[in-house]
Each structure stands twice: as structure tokens, then as C-alpha cells.
Amino acid sequence: MMAPLPNQEEELTPGTFLRGLWEENPVFVMLLGMCPVLAVTNSTLNALAMGLATTFVLVCSSALVSLLRHLIPKQVRIATYIVIIATFVTIVDHVIQAISLDLYNALGAFIQLIVANCIILGRAEAYAAKNRLATTLVNSLGMGAGFTIALLSLGTVREILGSGTLLGYPLFGEHFQTWVVMILPPGGFFVLGAWLLLFSWLQQRRARRITEGEEIRVRGS
Amino acid sequence: MSDGPLVEIRTSPHVRQTPSVDQIMRNVVYALVPVCVFSVWAFGISVLALLLVTTLACVLTEQLFCLAAGKPTTVRDWSVVITGILLALTLPPGFPLWMAAVASFVGVGLGKLLFGGLGQNVLNPALVGRAFVQAAFPVAITTWTPPFAEGRFTEFIPSTLTLPFLQPADVSGWLQLRAVDGFTGATPLALMKFEHVATPAMDLFTGMVAGSAGETSTVAILLGGAYLVARRMMDWRIPTAVLASAALTGSLFWWLDPGQYPDPLFILLSGGLMLGAVFMASDMVASPVTPLGVWVYGGLIGFVTVVIRLFGGLPEGVMYAILLGNAASPLISGWTQPRVFGQRSRGGRR
């Protein structure tokens, strides 16, 4: 039997959930899971389906890892995590196939590739293996939501510009000029780059404002 | 205050004149004047509007990015004006103005300023802009209109004035009114590739053909290039290497099968090869710094151009060839560093 891991458990706070959305957003901050982010965001629906599928696998596998964290031998933990993740990926694979074959074909190999998504393995290794079930659930749910939001923010921009539609409904008149490049692979890089630019610009501005505020306070006191 | 030494003693080089960036750039603008004048004469006010819109959009983009970064404006070095003019010259004459503005924004913003501005850009900004609209609006950028159309100085080509985000107006009706002998809207390169019809070399040389706004007249381009070479503001090796390599590669295939492949003279005079070789491949920032490297770089561009033209899906490949050459030029510079005197191995190898 393994000795219990050192106590690094996190208290359950709103931050446990919110960190995944903004401060540690898996896509925009940690730049993890780039493969589905670039590959299946050419429409909003694909992005949403991919985000939900990944969230499901993330939450379920993190929960199981958290429950089994005292039983998994340290030497084979990565292999064990992969087996756990692969189990849930297989479930998602069959579920999507049952719900919509079109969606299944559109997402292609990227459903099976969820197993290699580093967000999920990263959560298992860095969080679920060290924390209680409740905090793990909340944290991985936040991460999944952050991932889904990121996919959606790419998917909507690419679908609106690339096809002139949103979730398949035409937004503009029939004379709208579509930007073909946006639904092609390069469009994924352009839009991701633009979002990253926006976020780092916002963060820099906030950091600058905070330091300026402190300077004023120091001078004032 | 000190008066300084009475006799100034210096080692070489004894440079009398130090051309600044804006002096060189202004001279490039002068060199582009013949091309612009010919283009406006051949295609009318649509090209004039195109030139104005791209130049204005490029300058505004640079100003905007400088403001957003909180840096002093770099618009006054004239380099962005060249980008604007060059971009307009690579677009079809009837290209919608809003798409041209998009190309300017992407070219200057993504191709130049996000890399850090003049001197830091890996790729030629004008070609980045054009490559983006080529991928985004493939139909609009291959819609050609004939030169010397009737009434070109009084009315715009219908597609020019398309409202933003809408599809360009159909030009086929406009073409039918003006086409003298059933103009198909094809450039010499497209005619060659898809219909095996060769255009007379004299027409190509003087610019009596359809094509992008600034690429048609070889004479006007060579005039500008000669001015820059005479003022020593352009490396003559780059256009020479590009053209020589394209001619050599073209000759090889022509010699193998004259029935299927065009002759080397056609390859040199048609499409954007001349404009690209003289004004775009010679971009000082995006080309290698060593003399040997410049030959390699030019050779690569000429070779890739001909390969894309003869075997690719598109009729024209100059743009991609130059972008590829730009991307390879830091590597070429590194490989071709001269041996440092007194050292055995080459200095720059990494």
C-alpha cells in the first residue's frame, strides 16, 4: 500500500472554479490542447461539441483519479491515468456516434485524440492526484468550461467570417462575402493569434495600471 | 566647450554621404512612379483609387499600431508608403477597395508591426497582405479586366466600389459592353496554362495585356529598377539572380518539350515576375545580407516561381516564391557567412 501523499489539498473557494476560466485558462494562458483548438473550430457547433466532450472526459477522469489517488502506484501513474482517460474517451466516442453521425464525421479523429489532450493528463497529474474529490470536480469543471469558452470564441469568429452563419443560421444577406481562409486551417492560427494578442494586451494594461496605482499610493502616503 | 582637433585623422571608409532610411525609401517611391503612371493610364481611375486606398490604409495601420504600443510614430520613414503602393500594384485593377484595405491592414499589421516594425519583419509586408486576400477572397483576386477599356478615366470598374463585407459586383456585363474581341478575362499566364495560347512578347514587354495593376508593363518596371540601381539603392544582384534562375529553369523545360512548356522569354516577361524581382525580392529587410547569399536567395525565388507556374495549380507563383525566399533568407545568411580572416572554419556557422 502506498503511503499517503503529502498534504497539498486545496480549500474549496470560488477561485477553484474561476481560475480555469481566466487566470489559468487552458488555451489562452497555458496554451495547452492546441490540436483540437486549431483543428475543429471551423464552426461553432463543432467547437461546442468538442468542448463539451473534452469537459466530460476531463471531469470524469479527474474524479476517478482523485478517488483512486491513494491506490495508484507512483511508478505507473501515467499509464494508469491514460487507461482511465481512454475509458471515458471510448464512452464519448460511442455517445457522439449515437447522437449524430454528421457531427462524428466532422470531428473525425479528434474525438479519439482527446486521450492525448494534455489538459486532461495535466489536470490528473497536477491536481486530481493531490486533491479531494469535491475540489477536483469543481476545478476540472472550471478548466473544462474555460476550454469550451476558448473553443467557442475561436469557432464563432471563424464561422461568422468564414461562412457568414452562426450555428448554421445565416446572419447576413446572401451578398455577404465569405472569408474562405477563415474556415481553412490557416484561419485557426490567425484567429488564435488575434485572441492571444488581445488577452496579453489586456493583461499588460491591467498590470501597468496596478503598478501605477501603487506608485500613486506610495507617493500619497 | 572644446574646439576639437585641428586635423581630423580617420581610417577608411571615408563616407561622404550617409543615406538615411527615409532618403532611400523616398527614392524607391520615385522609382515606382513610372509603374504607377502606366498602370493608371492602362486601367484608369480604379487603379488610382486602389493606390490611394492601400497607401492610406497602410499608413493608418502603422499609425494605429504605434499608438497602441505607445511608441513614437514610424510613419515618416516612408517605408509603409512603399508597402501601400506595392500592394496596390499586385492586385487586380478592379479589386474591391474594402478588400484592398483588409489586405493593407493584414500586411502592415501582421506582416510588419507585430514583428516589431521596419527592420524586424521576416516577410515582405505587401506580399503578406496579398497572400492573405488571395486565401480569403480567391474569386475576387482572380477577376481580371482588360487594359485600355473605354471610359476608364470617367467611371470605375463596377467591382471597385463594392460596399464593405459584400461580394464584388459582377463585371461580366460591364466587360461585354467594352470587350473588343471577346475578352475572356484571362491573363497571359492563365491563357498559357489552361488554353496553351501564347501572347506576343512585344505586348508583354510594353504592357498591352491584362493582369495585376502594376505587373503588366515590363518597360516601366525596368525603368524604375534602373533608377534605383544607378542610385545604388538596390542590390542589382537580386533581380539578376531571380531572372537568370527563372530563365535557366524555364529554358531547361522548354528544351525538354517545347510543345508543352512556354519559352523562357515568355516566362520572364509574363505575370508578376518582373515586378516581384525588381521591387519585392529586393526588399532590404527580408533578403540575405551576404553577396553569395543574395545569389542563392534570388536563384531559389526564380526556380520556385517557374516550378509553381509549370506544375502547380495556380498560373502564377511569384508571390509564394518570394515569401518562401524571405522565410529562408536568415538561414541563407547564416550559411553564407564569409570566412573570418585568419580563421580556418567559416565564421557564421551555427
Side-chain angles (χ1 to χ4, degrees):
Chain A
M1 212 66 257
M2 290 276 302
L5 286 166
N7 191 17
Q8 298 172 316
E9 286 180 14
E10 193 198 342
E11 289 298 310
L12 190 61
T13 56
T16 315
F17 180 77
L18 293 176
R19 250 185 331 202
L21 297 187
W22 175 255
E23 205 180 323
E24 288 178 17
N25 187 297
V27 174
F28 292 137
V29 178
M30 299 202 281
L31 292 177
L32 292 175
M34 286 296 111
C35 181
V37 168
L38 293 167
V40 295
T41 52
N42 51 4
S43 80
T44 316
L45 189 65
N46 288 357
L48 185 66
M50 191 68 205
L52 292 180
T54 310
T55 307
F56 171 77
V57 176
L58 178 59
V59 172
C60 293
S61 60
S62 296
L64 205 58
V65 167
S66 172
L67 283 175
L68 298 174
R69 68 187 187 279
H70 299 300
L71 300 174
I72 298 169
K74 205 181 167 203
Q75 292 83 349
V76 292
R77 66 187 192 285
I78 300 288
T80 317
Y81 299 158
I82 293 290
V83 170
I84 292 171
I85 296 165
T87 311
F88 290 107
V89 170
T90 312
I91 295 173
V92 163
D93 191 66
H94 287 295
V95 166
I96 294 182
Q97 222 169 339
I99 294 173
S100 161
L101 198 59
D102 289 337
L103 188 64
Y104 184 79
N105 290 330
L107 295 180
F110 292 99
I111 301 172
Q112 287 94 341
L113 280 175
I114 294 175
V115 80
N117 191 320
C118 32
I119 298 170
I120 297 170
L121 191 62
R123 274 303 98 187
E125 169 78 2
Y127 199 93
K130 299 171 189 164
N131 282 288
R132 284 179 298 127
L133 178 64
T135 45
T136 302
L137 273 177
V138 172
N139 180 273
S140 53
L141 210 58
M143 283 287 162
F147 184 69
T148 311
I149 290 170
L151 283 176
L152 276 176
S153 49
L154 259 83
T156 44
V157 171
R158 288 180 70 184
E159 191 182 336
I160 289 173
L161 279 178
S163 323
T165 58
L166 188 62
L167 285 167
Y169 296 105
L171 288 182
F172 313 103
E174 54 177 328
H175 294 295
F176 179 75
Q177 171 69 49
T178 53
W179 301 39
V180 181
V181 69
M182 285 302 168
I183 47 173
L184 298 177
F189 286 95
F190 287 135
V191 177
L192 178 66
W195 278 113
L196 290 177
L197 185 72
L198 182 72
F199 279 119
S200 64
W201 186 62
L202 285 176
Q203 268 172 348
Q204 264 185 8
R205 227 173 53 147
R206 206 170 59 167
R208 211 183 309 145
R209 203 170 290 164
I210 288 169
T211 47
E212 273 169 13
E214 276 170 2
E215 273 171 22
I216 291 166
R217 226 175 297 142
V218 168
R219 245 179 277 144
S221 63
Chain B
M1 285 284 285
S2 70
D3 293 317
L6 285 172
V7 181
E8 211 175 276
I9 302 169
R10 284 194 200 163
T11 56
S12 63
H14 306 284
V15 180
R16 295 284 173 84
Q17 186 200 10
T18 50
S20 60
V21 171
D22 68 289
Q23 262 175 321
I24 294 180
M25 294 300 171
R26 233 176 308 155
N27 272 286
V28 179
V29 175
Y30 299 153
L32 283 167
V33 166
V35 189
C36 295
V37 168
F38 180 86
S39 185
V40 172
W41 180 51
F43 296 106
I45 50 172
S46 286
V47 166
L48 191 64
L50 203 59
L51 280 163
L52 290 177
V53 165
T54 52
T55 309
L56 201 68
C58 284
V59 170
L60 282 179
T61 307
E62 181 141 339
Q63 185 77 28
L64 188 79
F65 272 75
C66 287
L67 272 179
K71 287 178 184 163
T73 174
T74 49
V75 169
R76 282 194 199 90
D77 67 17
W78 284 79
S79 64
V80 72
V81 174
I82 298 176
T83 302
I85 298 175
L86 281 179
L87 179 60
L89 294 179
T90 61
L91 298 171
F95 199 61
L97 295 178
W98 75 267
M99 292 183 187
V102 170
S104 311
F105 180 77
V106 173
V108 175
L110 177 71
K112 184 179 173 191
L113 290 161
L114 286 184
F115 283 96
L118 182 68
Q120 318 282 329
N121 49 310
V122 182
L123 306 168
N124 183 318
L127 289 179
V128 172
R130 192 192 196 273
F132 182 82
V133 286
Q134 168 103 53
F137 313 119
V139 176
I141 205 156
T142 46
T143 304
W144 310 100
T145 50
F148 305 106
E150 249 176 83
R152 62 185 184 276
F153 296 119
T154 50
E155 57 182 307
F156 288 100
I157 299 169
S159 54
T160 300
L161 296 178
T162 310
L163 290 173
F165 297 102
L166 295 188
Q167 283 168 0
D170 192 19
V171 290
S172 57
W174 180 85
L175 276 177
Q176 267 173 2
L177 283 179
R178 276 163 185 75
V180 192
D181 44 1
F183 180 78
T184 51
T187 61
L189 275 171
L191 282 175
M192 191 67 182
K193 187 170 187 79
F194 303 120
E195 289 161 45
H196 276 273
V197 178
T199 313
M202 200 57 210
D203 287 357
L204 290 170
F205 190 68
T206 50
M208 301 296 137
V209 292
S212 297
E215 72 177 20
T216 52
S217 172
T218 309
V219 184
I221 295 165
L222 287 179
L223 214 63
Y227 171 76
L228 281 183
V229 171
R231 300 286 318 254
R232 299 200 177 187
M233 287 178 174
M234 181 175 74
D235 193 344
W236 60 272
R237 295 180 193 92
I238 296 177
T240 313
V242 174
L243 297 174
S245 157
L248 271 177
T249 319
S251 313
L252 178 72
F253 288 111
W254 186 56
W255 175 69
L256 285 175
D257 187 357
Q260 192 182 351
Y261 300 116
D263 59 282
L265 190 66
F266 177 82
I267 285 186
L268 285 187
L269 297 179
S270 62
L273 184 64
M274 205 53 87
L275 184 71
V278 173
F279 285 110
M280 308 215 182
S282 60
D283 185 328
M284 287 183 177
V285 180
S287 54
V289 289
T290 57
L292 178 63
V294 160
W295 287 108
V296 176
Y297 163 83
L300 177 75
I301 292 175
F303 175 75
V304 174
T305 303
V306 176
V307 168
I308 295 178
R309 275 190 189 179
L310 297 184
F311 304 104
L314 295 166
E316 178 61 306
V318 177
M319 173 180 74
Y320 296 117
I322 295 177
L323 287 174
L324 213 62
N326 287 163
S329 64
L331 201 63
I332 297 172
S333 289
W335 281 346
T336 54
Q337 289 293 321
R339 191 172 59 89
V340 174
F341 184 72
Q343 281 187 4
R344 277 229 181 127
S345 64
R346 278 166 177 267
R349 275 268 170 95
R350 263 169 287 173

